[in-house]
Amino acid sequence: MTGNTLKSESAELVVLSVLAEGAAYGYAITRDIAARSEGAFRLGPGQLYPLLSKLEKTGLVTTRWEEVKAGGADQDAPGRRRKWYEISPKGRKRLEQRVENHRRLTALVESFLAPGVREAEA
Amino acid sequence: MTGNTLKSESAELVVLSVLAEGAAYGYAITRDIAARSEGAFRLGPGQLYPLLSKLEKTGLVTTRWEEVKAGGADQDAPGRRRKWYEISPKGRKRLEQRVENHRRLTALVESFLAPGVREAEA
DNA sequence: GTTAGACATATCGACTTTTGATATATCTGA
DNA sequence: TCAGATATATCAAAAGTCGATATGTCTAAC
């Protein structure tokens, strides 16, 4: 098992959870998720950035750009840019709902897993 | 919330779980899942039958047809047909793997949900 | 006896999602 | 100098999803 893709619903849940612990930028979120899951969860750029855009558009996160100043000589040159994402109050509410829903669904799936043996009907 | 669609991975897990308790036919599986989840899980024909075909093709279940004799007069008329699905030993092994995997992933998602608060990095 | 609705299997196509590839550009360390 | 990590973002091909549709049987109500 080299790693599981996060399905979009779980992806939103996990990303909002990460952001609930503090603001972060896209690349850091990817790294964070991979590291904390020991490589079990992968969230590629093709999934991450559209998701973050959606969160921004729907007001679940707020954003701001950071100009990363390099250690090099030219301090006036335009540096690398980071887009920071911060969870909003609306985002926290959504996260709560998502967590609740996720747990409810998980419990429901679990309820199918190891019940008593039913007689074969034929 | 009127009902959640089962994602294909969960769908296989749940269907195999239902079949692990005894043979069943398609329509009964749909009803069973809807009833046991109190309508929370829905598995439409467009999802169910392709899934059952796949399970059959890959040897996870075995099948046989049943001719349902009507209570009516003409006992020679071709009646309604049911296709019964029975889980195979290979299917039981697959189910065990799926259950294990599902629990591992669920625990992993859960591990993202309520950890300590991290300092905002900027 | 007719008919509405449940029973039963199955496929189809429009729609959405997924994911690797690609693009662009910067920074760091060997 | 140059490979590889950092950083954001889009695209299109492939895969997956799901309601609608098709076909036919059976039962219970009227």
Side-chain angles (χ1 to χ4, degrees):
Chain A
M1 187 118 13
T2 49
N4 296 275
T5 293
L6 276 169
K7 302 301 170 197
S8 64
E9 227 169 297
S10 298
E12 185 181 306
L13 180 62
V14 167
V15 166
L16 282 177
S17 291
V18 167
L19 291 179
E21 296 161 32
Y25 54 93
Y27 194 79
I29 294 172
T30 299
R31 260 199 280 102
D32 196 27
I33 289 175
R36 285 170 62 178
S37 70
E38 291 173 7
F41 287 156
R42 274 174 302 122
L43 198 63
Q47 241 193 309
L48 178 69
Y49 292 107
L51 170 57
L52 289 174
S53 289
K54 195 192 92 187
L55 296 179
E56 185 181 5
K57 271 178 206 145
T58 53
L60 268 28
V61 301
T62 57
T63 64
R64 68 187 166 76
W65 283 97
E66 175 196 14
E67 301 294 329
V68 183
K69 287 298 169 193
D74 191 352
Q75 290 297 309
D76 289 337
R80 184 188 289 162
R81 302 166 80 228
R82 281 177 186 152
K83 192 172 184 181
W84 286 82
Y85 295 84
E86 186 166 13
I87 195 167
S88 69
K90 190 177 168 188
R92 288 194 188 273
K93 270 180 206 152
R94 171 68 62 89
L95 174 56
E96 270 177 53
Q97 289 166 6
R98 281 267 187 275
V99 169
E100 199 179 335
N101 194 242
H102 174 260
R103 285 180 177 152
R104 196 175 61 81
L105 259 28
T106 297
L108 210 43
V109 168
E110 192 67 29
S111 76
F112 277 89
L113 260 34
V117 174
R118 167 164 57 85
E119 278 314 288
E121 283 171 32
Chain B
M1 183 120 11
T2 50
N4 296 275
T5 293
L6 278 168
K7 301 302 169 197
S8 65
E9 226 169 297
S10 299
E12 185 182 306
L13 180 61
V14 168
V15 167
L16 282 177
S17 291
V18 168
L19 291 178
E21 295 162 32
Y25 55 94
Y27 194 79
I29 294 172
T30 298
R31 260 199 280 102
D32 197 27
I33 289 174
R36 285 169 64 179
S37 70
E38 292 173 6
F41 287 156
R42 275 174 302 124
L43 198 61
Q47 241 193 309
L48 178 69
Y49 292 107
L51 170 58
L52 288 174
S53 290
K54 196 191 92 188
L55 295 179
E56 187 182 3
K57 271 178 205 144
T58 53
L60 268 28
V61 300
T62 56
T63 64
R64 68 187 166 77
W65 283 98
E66 175 196 15
E67 301 295 329
V68 182
K69 286 298 168 192
D74 192 353
Q75 290 298 310
D76 288 338
R80 184 187 288 161
R81 302 165 82 226
R82 281 179 186 149
K83 192 172 184 181
W84 287 82
Y85 296 84
E86 188 168 11
I87 194 169
S88 69
K90 189 177 169 188
R92 289 195 187 272
K93 268 180 207 152
R94 172 67 63 88
L95 174 57
E96 270 178 52
Q97 290 167 4
R98 281 268 186 275
V99 169
E100 198 179 337
N101 194 243
H102 174 259
R103 287 182 177 151
R104 195 175 61 82
L105 259 29
T106 297
L108 210 42
V109 168
E110 193 67 28
S111 77
F112 277 88
L113 260 34
V117 173
R118 167 163 56 85
E119 278 315 288
E121 283 170 33

